Amino acid sequence: MKLVNPANKRRHTLIVVGSGLAGASAAATLGELGYHVSCFCFQDSPRRAHSIAAQGGINAAKNYQNDGDSVYRLFYDTVKGGDFRAREANVYRLAQISVNIIDQCVAQGVPFAREYGGTLANRSFGGAQVSRTFYARGQTGQQLLLGAYQALERQVQAGTVTMYPRTEMLDLIVIDGRARGIVTRNLVTGEVDTHLGDAVILGTGGYGNVFYLSTNAKGSNVTAIWRAHKRGALFANPCYTQIHPTCIPVSGDYQSKLTLMSESLRNDGRIWVPMKKGDKRTPDQIPETDRDYYLERRYPSFGNLVPRDVASRNAKYVCDEGRGVGETGLGVYLDFGDAIRRLGRKAIEERYGNLFDMYQRITDEDPYTVPMRIYPAIHYTMGGLWVDYHLMSTIPGLFVIGEANFSDHGANRLGASALMQGLSDGYFIVPYTVGDYLATNKLDKVAETHSEIRNAVACVQQTVQKLLGINGKRTVDSFHRELGKIVWEYCGMSRNAQGLETAIEEIRSLREEYWQNVKVPGSGDDFNQSLEKAGRVADFFELAELMCVDALERNESCGGHFREEYQTADGEAQRDDEEFSYVAAWGYRGYGNREDLSKEPLEFQYVHPSQRSYK
Amino acid sequence: MRIKLKIWRQKSRNASGRFVSYPVENVNPDMSMLECLDVLNEQLIQQGEDPVAFEHDCREGICGSCGFMVNGVAHGPLPATTVCQLTMRHFNDGNELVLEPWRARAFPLIKDLVVDRRSFDRIIAAGGYISVSTGSAPDGNAIPVPKEAADRAMDAAACIGCGACVAACPNASAALFTGAKMTHLGILPQGKPERDVRAIRMVAQMNEEGFGGCTNIGECTGVCPKEIPLEVIAAMNRDYFRASWRERDNVVTTIRPFTEWSTGSKLQVDPPSGR
């Protein structure tokens, strides 16, 4: 890999969009190396990025527990957990880097949990039989993000990074086939601006909010990567979405988001439903003999720690059978009774205290005495912009990191791996690969008056004016909610061909209505939160269709993509490696047109694809 | 249930503001305060009025975006709870709730309930970090950290930077926020080498931003959604005084006053770039 001469680094301006784990760590590291970095986020501060909400932990193959962990095992678990739909080479690199991430974060002062001897503590997570997850109470994401944020602010102080908060990227500037800048809108003044550079790095997160109800922050959106997609970057595996098994069930129509309870709870909590359908007794009235600990029964070796897709699907099955709990019947119990009897209330408080408090605040029930009720919810999206081994998209000079790319998790992400991937991409991969790109390509200076720039700015202004001018009858949220219901119904936990076709029809007609009948109040010249949402929802509409098209094309079940037509006799996902062992990368062909499919074949040299078994 | 919301409406920083009352029908007790505002905003948009601007993102109490005064209390009446997790079951049918933005000189208003809290970022930029560039870290277990120290650091590190402490303080002081970061980093062995310089720079920046001085009233810790203890302010003061003494030959401290109001002159500490 080529290097950029230290004296030349400061001559390059790099644009980083997003300030979560991936974006902040990349911006900070590139700043440390001496590049001039402009970093953008739509929130009021880079510290608000949604990485902050990750609870459980971060994996690393340290083998501090002497339980047989290794780089190879983490690699193996991740490839298998992703249901053999990830690129081996990327995953191996991720596993190698995992150990450096922990070192870096410890040095930054991330207050990881410690043993009494002062060494780092670990916990177990789904999909693994070793204890390799590092954590800071139930706030691991917060602490890792604050570490990256502090590193970023240090570079702001040093003058290498310029931070642009409350600034949203609305288009990508591509000149002579290369990414050379972005068009932004200042969310306070409404000003549309351009920022030019030698490379653009997107770390803008996932698109789970296409479902309206998800565990994502309200502001999380697909706009940055979608608009890059419309400028030519291929979008890979959009149908791979992850449903998290342990969220607080929906309670009413007004609901604006779903709250996740960390998967780490499955370490000590036992999941069950009543044996009998429609058993309305309170949980303490249901004796052991009338309880079905269905995960322990079906998967004796992994039990409650099966991967997320398996746990979610099984919760759906038991609820579909009419054995769900709570008022809506869409919930299962997560019971800490045994753990409290075994370890004492204090130990449980220490491990999960803040999660229990949060549950109680929301539901008004005490999880120390009454089992929690949980239900799956959309949590993470494995799909994203296609990138090569250098994390560069199909547009040269456009790099995509963290959840925004598709690279490492295949069809299903294991717990505690998102933080690992975000930081790996940001601290340790993209700072090298961007350097290689700059060193191997001659980039001419771009004139500020270039026609592509004027064109991109006009495009952005047009969309803003169009949204404001419709002045219809329905609010943005009402459309978003309806879109979310369609996608959840037909492209959620399980999918079938007929449903997906219906979904495509419904999405198209709702999208037509959106452009005729949405009502966006206010103007484009000031702080207008409805306008922000309107642009994002417009992009979700287009993405939603592509997700369904991708899900329809993939005639197999794998990981988070479960097609009802393709399952084993006992209801497990059935892959078709002959036909579908590839990455589906879609190319935009204009509004409303079917996208072009390219296939990147997946080759497995080390981990032989097998039927994933957690029994 | 029915709730009356009396909300501070102000179009922009320079416009004048006023309270406007809105009745909200069909409030579900399981709704959060923010979901109640969502419902109101949907109504306002339908009626062709400008919806209420309020900051929010994660809606699970961790991002620190949300926050406003509810009946004069930052984040409302429930201890250790941000407004996004404050459910309406804590109010009674027919209650009137007065919602106001954080009011502090260092948090200029943007619109309605939204304020600009970039001053917090600048306090962190001044020294709220450990200077370790990527790649230069020793093995994670090479630095043993006593469990008690890790736990205490974590207690302080839990701060979400929402600004409630400033809003609740009669002096609009940022001492709890600043003290929390200094405590988090100062307790850990990794943070020791820069402890003095961190104290001096962060305190200087805090003063420069126009936050008031701390007079140990304790309102801040009372409203803090993460229950950051008051002792972080004591730790900040101790670190600051110790650092001032040790660094007395360094011009940064001795010729510069502890607070701006004690001399009436503005501090001249190296201004952070990128502002």
Side-chain angles (χ1 to χ4, degrees), chain A residues 64 149 218 257 362 475, chain B residues 42 57 60 89 121 139 190:
Chain A
Y64 283 160
Y149 158 74
K218 292 295 285 175
K257 79 155 275 161
I362 292 171
T475 62
Chain B
E42 291 288 289
D57 202 19
E60 45 189 87
R89 69 177 82 96
D121 290 332
D139 184 85
Q190 304 93 300

Side-chain angles (χ1 to χ4, degrees), chain A residues 275-344:
Chain A
M275 285 284 188
K276 289 197 295 276
K277 273 185 205 176
D279 191 336
K280 288 290 168 205
R281 287 177 290 178
T282 56
D284 58 316
Q285 299 289 314
I286 302 178
E288 281 293 319
T289 48
D290 290 351
R291 299 177 176 191
D292 180 13
Y293 294 90
Y294 58 90
L295 289 179
E296 296 172 23
R297 174 170 57 79
R298 292 193 62 186
Y299 306 96
S301 65
F302 279 70
N304 293 298
L305 286 176
V306 291
R308 292 175 171 178
D309 55 334
V310 178
S312 297
R313 218 153 34 233
N314 279 279
K316 179 178 159 47
Y317 291 153
V318 295
C319 291
D320 288 351
E321 287 166 21
R323 297 195 286 150
V325 301
E327 244 169 64
T328 56
L330 294 175
V332 299
Y333 288 124
L334 177 61
D335 196 338
F336 288 85
D338 279 353
I340 291 173
R341 277 187 290 279
R342 190 174 74 243
L343 305 162

